Amino acid sequence: MNMMVEAKDRAQARERVIALAGNPNVGKSTLFNALTGLHQHTGNWTGKTVSCATGHFRHAGRRYTLVDLPGTYSMTPHAAEEGQARDFLCSGEVDTIGVVCDAGALERNLILVLQLMQMSHCPVVVILNFQREAKRRGVDVNAGQLASALGVPVVETEAREGEGVEEVASLLAAWSGKALQDQQERLLRPEQRENTPEQLAALATTIAAKVSEETQGNKRARDARWDRLLTGKWTGFALMLAMLGLIFWLTMAGANGLSDAMMTLFSRCEAWLASALTGVGAPPWLTGALLFGVFRTSTWVISVMLPPMIIFFLLFTFLEDVGYLPRVAFCLDRTFCRCHACGKQALTMCMGLGCNAVGVTGCRIIDSPRERRIAILTNSLMPCNGRFPTLIALIGLFLATGSGMVRTLTSAFSLTLALVLCVAITFGASRLLSATLLRGEASSFVLELPPYRMPRVGELIVRSVWNRTLFVLGRALAVAAPAGLALWLLANIHLGEVSLLALIATALDPIGRVLGMDGVILLAFVLSLPANEIFIPIMIMIYRAGGTLEPLGSLMGVKDILVSQGWTVTTAICVLLFMLFHWPCATTIQALRREGGGLRWALIGCLLPTLIGAILCLAVATVSHLVGG
């Protein structure tokens, strides 16, 4: 009965739709999360929201639909996501628009506010965010004066701290009625009607100057000094490399010991489980499938992936929140322009370090279709989080020299060089594409450098560990567990005296040898198509399919197995290069097809890194053969 009444009420009173609009990086997604309880990804840089997110919140017993729109500077779109925001705001589906403004950049934000008041057919509420941060930077905005100057309600909030959220919900809900819409129309100032964009910009400047006050202790000069250091012609690249090396050093210093400890623990668990299964009379095939297939593959993924991912994502998220990543894009902008690509591609490259599928989707922030496609096709040239554990493990086992601190430093230096190589290859591939398949000149764009913000520790940990590390680990385990079972079955299904895995690996061996590897390695790359994270456990299982199956115990136990299979430093280098440059995972391939414009571009996006990796491996193998390595 209650359900029928609720359905009847919903039919009689349509659920109100409230849109959150605003410039990029003003805290829309953070406010959206606070109001709806959802977990839209946020970050201190432009372009984090490239599609609409929809949620709901309740106020005074009534439910409202809330839509988080991509950031836009004006109602005249210059990018696909800005057009998406404009189209939704003008669609007639919106009942109220909440315009989120950064109090520290009010003049720029007011242009959109005035345009929406002039063009839209629904009431506007101004949500003044980052007021406390603006005061720390020496700017004090009087919200009451701003409301009087605009003739619309203004509510203050600190979305990151959850302050003022209830007031925002109350005002957005109350300002949804038709009577209040008419009231807003009457309150609009005559000078705000039918103005050209140049006139609106001048009006925004006038209003911002009227309601803002420069206070003592202005910290903009301090931010400017940091910008000169982090984006300087000579210091920007040096500090970028130093920062990268520091991240890798901290990751490796903390990850290796923890990985060994986890492997030892899981080895003991495996021995205990084996005894338990034997004790209950489990048949050997069941013990092998569950223990040596599912359990061993899954625990390998946890041991090798979890420690470096926790540390790396924690540091990466810190740099993202503090506002450093847009400075990286600024430093790389000139080089991308020389490659006839867009400087925003640097931002999508940074996204690719977390996940290439996310990086490909993030290319929507690039305005030009030609430059957007270049960024999409080259994003897989950056190693994603799924490749980092393999890179870290193999570099530590075969390329690091010395012991203790020296060994960790050489590992970090090697991984930094590998990432520099990826960036250089990305530049070269972008230039090649712009001269062949995607000819054209680079377009100009405006890159907003956000203010420096100290991240909140709790939010930093939740986003880096829960939203990123555990999400990626869960995805890897979802693939690793059935893959381990399938591999064990293939290893134990024989044609004559040879397993199916061995037959396939033998068929691939000639190609693998030419590239400085072997058939087992190539087969592991093929079978890890669902997720790069499971490459090493697949390879180990294939190598050991015909031998004993005792637990590994530590990373050095992995090295012993690889060396026994004929691995040399040359083999390790070729595997590292092919791990950096080969076809992307299945999720990224789907994103390539969706964002690139069809199957043809998805195939190009797969072939491009694979050909680069094959050429590099062939070159290393040939040189090694010539010098007798």
Side-chain angles (χ1 to χ4, degrees), residues 266-277:
F266 284 129
S267 295
R268 293 174 181 173
C269 292
E270 184 177 303
W272 180 85
L273 289 173
S275 300
L277 289 172

Side-chain angles (χ1 to χ4, degrees), residues 76-98:
T76 304
H78 298 284
E81 73 276 8
E82 289 186 329
Q84 187 178 20
R86 190 274 314 273
D87 292 344
F88 185 79
L89 290 170
C90 298
S91 65
E93 300 178 12
V94 182
D95 296 295
T96 305
I97 301 174

